[in-house]
Amino acid sequence: MAREKPIPRSARKEINRGRIRSRDNDTVKQISVGLMDIDAAIMFYFNNTIQPMVEENGESIKVPLMYSNPERWAMVQKNGYLVDNKKQLIIPLIAFKRTSIEKDDTMSVDKLDPKDPKLFYTFQRKYSEKNRYDKFSVQQGLNKVNELYTVGVPDYVSVTYDFVIWTSYTEQMNKIVEKIIWSEGSYWGEDGKFKFRTSIDNYTDASEVSVNSERLIRTNFSVTLKGYLIPEEFNKVLTTQKTLTPKRILIGDDVSVNLTNLVGDSKTKDVKISVQQGSSGGALDKSIKITAGTGVSIGGAGIFDGTESKNFTFAIGQEVGTTSTVQFNNVTASNAIHIGPTSFEISQRDDGKAQVNTDWVVKGDIFAENYIVSSSIVSMSVMQSSGSTIFGDTIDDNHQFTGSVNISGSLSVDGVTTGDTNSYLRKQFVKKANSITAPSTASFAAVTASAPNGLTATSEQDFVFFINGQYMEHDALTIQQAGSTFHLIVDVSSIGYDLESDDEIIAQGKFNS
Amino acid sequence: MAGRFLPQNDVNLITRVTRELVGDKQNNKDGIINQECVVYKPSLQESVTNMYGEAAGGKKVYKNGVQMNALIDAEDFDFNQEEFGPDAGQTATFSFLRQSFIDASMVLEIGDLIDWNYGYFEVGTINENQLIGGQFDQNYSVIANAFLIRKSSIQIERVRSI
């Protein structure tokens, strides 16, 4: 085979190598929407969603839908189920055909040159092998590569279809038309594929009966569909283009490039720029001065002019990582402080008081100048593990309780235990002398009740004695306690009579029981 | 079953006379008139149709053609010159003896092609309405009204040179 010489440079086509990119492993498919996709969407929606049915001989019959005017052999032979043995159409039957396509001029589509459209929609593939950011790339100063796909803006069209429904009976027609009316205005198509908004203006009903012809019920209606068309390629130029953003932009010192040409007008582009120096090396036009600031110390602080490498070490005095133990002198939080794994919060209330949003357990003492329980609390329980409580430290301290105070233990007031006092005060017993020693002594089998601390000791004033029912004057009486026997000693000269053994002497007073 | 005044012998006579006039291709007997054509039927199994009911792009496959004798009455060519310039059209009527299709084990249907006079005619309508003695079981003929169809549409022959 003879060798061929290359074609002249002037005759070669201009090739943009940025567009020559393998798409073999792409999962992003070429996008194309054609008229057949739109027609198929209508047919699918009719057959699978609307599902026109009629009742015939007690059976539900699915009404076939066909695109009008098929090839004769396909209609009569291939789709033989549509005709009977006399080649008459079997009805009910629905036929439709596309009657017009109108371009929607209200949608702006650049089409000055269909081989080179300028209007694109660009989307980014979020996850890909290229779109990664590893440590090696960081060391090399490489940007992560974004995988972008640009798709030409489609042509927006209004497509009109004419539908004809034939049935034998109006009742069958009603059922079909009702279902179509219910679905009108929705997006017709298959789930997961393209769908198109449709609308139906009106329905034309007609019952056809004429001499020597069959009675037919016929309904015509037009469907207007808002669709869009985009070919997969035009003159071998794909409408879906794939681009990858550069990992790094190198600018040699012999190249003058305006930075805005690289990043565009946006000031938010994340672009790393590496400066590649010439072989002879060179200083920066404007050197960089590194100085320490508040809270930051810099090892090697000084001027970097680019002539040689220089290390700068930035330090802030301690580790501040999430697992570090950090020490500060004062910490001011403008809003709140969150502490602990479940993040309880210490914050300042509107009235300036501190607030904790969880229970508060104090293992040490609580010192407070005032202890106020919020009035909104209607029940307060205090549980002490052990120990006693002291209120006040001087005799003039005044402690007030509003409401009742229930004390299960004893209450001592100014050294007097109220429980013992009450018990002593309630003691009042009656005894009868079990022996009388004439002329002046009567003996009782009883014990005098002992007065608790703080009360006057029990005396004969706490007793009343009666002899044979007559009161005995106190100033002539003396009492004595001898073991378990209570003695009444009478001054017979003062009282004026002697005690006799058959006298009945009754005592009432502070006996122990 | 023949009618009361139409014995089977008479039916056989009519059939025999007709075959002698038209020809009997199935039995290799030429007729007096002896017009021949070839009937092509599409293969329904192999032909793939799209949602529009058409087998485009070489997806239409025909079974082998069957030679038949028929009385052929072709109209004059009709040239339409309004839209694309001179464009020929022709209609023709192919009248077959029904028995010849029975002998060939085939049925002529709408959409079949008939190769005649170096052109192809697609069957548009079929009339089977000649009943001997008015008996429908003595259906005698199959008359196909066909029209000349473009060779570029039927995908039997290569037409284009470019």
Side-chain angles (χ1 to χ4, degrees):
Chain A
M1 182 177 174
R3 298 177 63 184
E4 292 183 357
K5 64 178 182 180
I7 58 176
R9 289 181 183 275
S10 59
R12 295 177 191 172
K13 293 181 179 178
E14 183 180 350
I15 297 176
N16 183 352
R17 297 187 67 84
R19 290 193 167 188
I20 301 176
R21 193 171 300 284
S22 172
R23 302 280 306 273
D24 294 344
N25 298 322
D26 273 5
T27 56
V28 177
K29 296 179 181 178
Q30 308 283 1
I31 294 175
S32 72
V33 184
L35 287 170
M36 197 164 185
D37 294 318
I38 298 175
D39 296 340
I42 287 195
M43 183 162 273
F44 178 89
Y45 192 82
F46 240 88
N47 282 330
N48 296 279
T49 304
I50 297 179
Q51 294 184 346
M53 311 278 282
V54 295
E55 289 284 332
E56 199 170 88
N57 297 329
E59 291 182 286
S60 291
I61 306 294
K62 184 178 180 183
V63 180
L65 173 73
M66 59 172 282
Y67 197 88
S68 294
N69 302 329
E71 289 193 80
R72 285 180 175 82
W73 70 273
M75 175 75 182
V76 175
Q77 301 181 37
K78 181 108 178 161
N79 297 332
Y81 60 90
L82 295 173
V83 295
D84 60 16
N85 62 343
K86 284 291 184 183
K87 309 306 176 193
Q88 281 194 305
L89 284 172
I90 300 173
I91 56 176
L93 180 65
I94 303 174
F96 79 104
K97 64 180 177 182
R98 188 173 62 237
T99 54
S100 70
I101 303 173
E102 186 179 1
K103 204 164 178 177
D104 189 350
D105 292 331
T106 60
M107 309 293 285
S108 58
V109 177
D110 160 55
K111 207 52 64 66
L112 295 176
D113 182 2
K115 292 184 292 185
D116 186 22
K118 295 292 190 293
L119 201 53
F120 284 96
Y121 172 75
T122 303
F123 62 91
Q124 180 180 346
R125 191 177 167 209
K126 297 298 182 186
Y127 303 101
S128 69
E129 291 180 354
K130 301 286 186 184
N131 186 7
R132 62 185 179 187
Y133 197 74
D134 52 24
K135 291 181 178 178
F136 181 74
S137 299
V138 174
Q139 291 175 340
Q140 298 296 311
L142 301 178
N143 289 307
K144 56 183 178 180
V145 176
N146 293 326
E147 197 170 324
L148 304 175
Y149 291 87
T150 56
V151 182
V153 174
D155 289 313
Y156 295 90
V157 292
S158 291
V159 189
T160 308
Y161 294 88
D162 276 357
F163 277 73
V164 184
I165 310 172
W166 290 285
T167 62
S168 300
Y169 306 105
T170 307
E171 185 178 338
Q172 293 177 336
M173 180 65 74
N174 292 346
K175 297 288 184 188
I176 298 172
V177 173
E178 285 164 5
K179 295 189 81 170
I180 297 171
I181 289 176
W182 184 255
S183 62
E184 186 268 335
S186 62
Y187 284 81
W188 288 14
E190 185 176 354
D191 289 340
K193 294 185 177 179
F194 297 105
K195 289 186 169 185
F196 307 97
R197 183 85 188 269
T198 57
S199 61
I200 302 174
D201 291 334
N202 55 57
Y203 299 82
T204 305
D205 272 340
S207 300
E208 297 176 354
V209 181
S210 60
V211 178
N212 294 332
S213 70
E214 188 182 2
R215 174 181 184 267
L216 276 178
I217 310 301
R218 173 191 177 105
T219 294
N220 292 67
F221 63 92
S222 295
V223 173
T224 302
L225 179 145
K226 298 293 184 186
Y228 33 87
L229 298 171
I230 180 169
E232 187 171 325
E233 64 166 5
F234 185 83
N235 278 6
K236 297 183 180 179
V237 176
L238 297 175
T239 49
T240 304
Q241 297 286 340
K242 174 184 179 182
T243 55
L244 299 174
T245 58
K247 294 179 181 177
R248 179 165 57 182
I249 299 173
L250 287 176
I251 304 172
D253 54 4
D254 56 343
V255 176
S256 175
V257 178
N258 191 346
L259 193 58
T260 56
N261 292 337
L262 298 176
V263 301
D265 296 333
S266 173
K267 297 176 181 178
T268 59
K269 295 284 180 65
D270 181 15
V271 175
K272 288 188 173 65
I273 297 176
S274 301
V275 179
Q276 189 178 44
Q277 297 177 347
S279 58
S280 60
L284 297 172
D285 287 345
K286 293 182 180 179
S287 58
I288 301 171
K289 184 178 183 181
I290 308 294
T291 57
T294 304
V296 179
S297 62
I298 300 175
I303 295 175
F304 174 69
D305 58 6
T307 55
E308 59 183 9
S309 62
K310 194 171 182 180
N311 292 328
F312 300 97
T313 304
F314 295 76
I316 60 171
Q318 62 178 340
E319 294 268 354
V320 291
T322 56
T323 58
S324 302
T325 301
V326 185
Q327 179 179 358
F328 295 107
N329 187 23
N330 287 302
V331 176
T332 301
S334 59
N335 185 23
I337 296 175
H338 296 262
I339 301 172
T342 58
S343 185
F344 80 85
E345 179 183 292
I346 301 173
S347 59
Q348 187 176 29
R349 305 195 316 183
D350 293 339
D351 58 4
K353 297 182 175 61
Q355 174 174 291
V356 181
N357 68 341
T358 185
D359 296 341
W360 190 254
V361 178
V362 179
K363 291 188 175 180
D365 299 335
I366 295 178
F367 296 93
E369 295 183 0
N370 291 301
Y371 179 64
I372 299 171
V373 179
S374 171
S375 60
S376 63
I377 297 174
V378 297
S379 174
M380 183 177 76
S381 298
V382 178
M383 184 170 69
Q384 287 184 313
S385 58
S386 63
S388 302
T389 305
I390 298 173
F391 291 93
D393 59 347
T394 60
I395 196 64
D396 56 349
D397 290 344
N398 186 17
H399 306 283
Q400 293 183 349
F401 294 89
T402 301
S404 303
V405 177
N406 294 320
I407 300 172
S408 58
S410 62
L411 174 64
S412 178
V413 180
D414 197 13
V416 178
T417 304
T418 56
D420 296 344
T421 304
N422 290 339
S423 177
Y424 173 76
L425 294 176
R426 285 187 57 82
K427 286 185 176 180
Q428 194 70 239
F429 297 98
V430 176
K431 301 292 184 180
K432 180 182 177 183
N434 53 2
S435 67
I436 297 174
T437 305
S440 61
T441 302
S443 299
F444 297 81
V447 177
T448 308
S450 299
N453 291 334
L455 294 183
T456 308
T458 307
S459 67
E460 69 275 8
Q461 299 297 326
D462 295 312
F463 296 90
V464 179
F465 298 94
F466 300 89
I467 183 168
N468 297 333
Q470 177 181 298
Y471 171 73
M472 299 173 73
E473 289 80 1
H474 262 93
D475 51 0
L477 303 177
T478 305
I479 60 172
Q480 288 182 350
Q481 185 69 46
S484 59
T485 303
F486 177 84
H487 296 290
L488 173 66
I489 300 167
V490 181
D491 185 356
V492 296
S493 60
S494 174
I495 202 167
Y497 52 81
D498 292 342
L499 302 182
E500 296 177 13
S501 59
D502 57 352
D503 287 337
E504 182 185 58
I505 299 176
I506 302 298
Q508 179 185 6
K510 295 286 183 197
F511 292 109
N512 199 29
S513 60
Chain B
M1 187 178 82
R4 183 181 297 272
F5 302 105
L6 187 66
Q8 186 63 41
N9 286 339
D10 293 350
V11 175
N12 294 342
L13 175 64
I14 295 171
T15 304
R16 197 179 313 121
V17 170
T18 305
R19 278 182 168 162
E20 287 180 5
L21 277 173
V22 177
D24 186 2
K25 210 66 187 173
Q26 274 61 46
N27 295 308
N28 288 323
K29 291 181 180 176
D30 292 341
I32 297 170
I33 302 173
N34 202 37
Q35 287 179 300
E36 293 180 356
C37 62
V38 180
V39 177
Y40 289 96
K41 290 186 71 65
S43 173
L44 306 184
Q45 297 291 331
E46 298 172 271
S47 299
V48 180
T49 54
N50 56 21
M51 62 169 289
Y52 303 114
E54 53 191 25
K59 293 178 180 176
K60 193 186 295 182
V61 179
Y62 292 92
K63 294 178 182 175
N64 289 335
V66 179
Q67 280 189 323
M68 303 290 289
N69 287 113
L71 289 177
I72 302 169
D73 181 12
E75 301 288 334
D76 287 343
F77 282 90
D78 176 26
F79 279 88
N80 178 11
Q81 309 203 31
E82 290 181 358
E83 292 177 331
F84 298 100
D87 184 24
Q90 187 183 23
T91 58
T93 303
F94 296 82
S95 301
F96 298 93
L97 182 66
R98 182 182 172 85
Q99 186 61 41
S100 61
F101 281 115
I102 297 173
D103 294 341
S105 298
M106 67 181 292
V107 177
L108 186 69
E109 294 177 287
I110 294 173
D112 291 344
L113 292 184
I114 299 173
D115 179 8
W116 177 73
N117 190 20
Y118 309 106
Y120 292 91
F121 292 77
E122 182 178 330
V123 177
T125 61
I126 293 177
N127 275 315
E128 297 176 85
N129 200 33
Q130 287 185 317
L131 309 177
I132 297 178
Q135 305 298 316
F136 65 81
D137 57 347
Q138 297 298 338
N139 198 344
Y140 189 68
S141 64
V142 176
I143 301 172
N145 296 307
F147 53 89
L148 189 63
I149 188 169
R150 300 170 207 285
K151 290 182 179 177
S152 57
S153 302
I154 57 178
Q155 305 164 26
I156 287 182
E157 295 180 16
R158 178 163 187 157
V159 183
R160 298 181 191 277
S161 59
I162 56 172

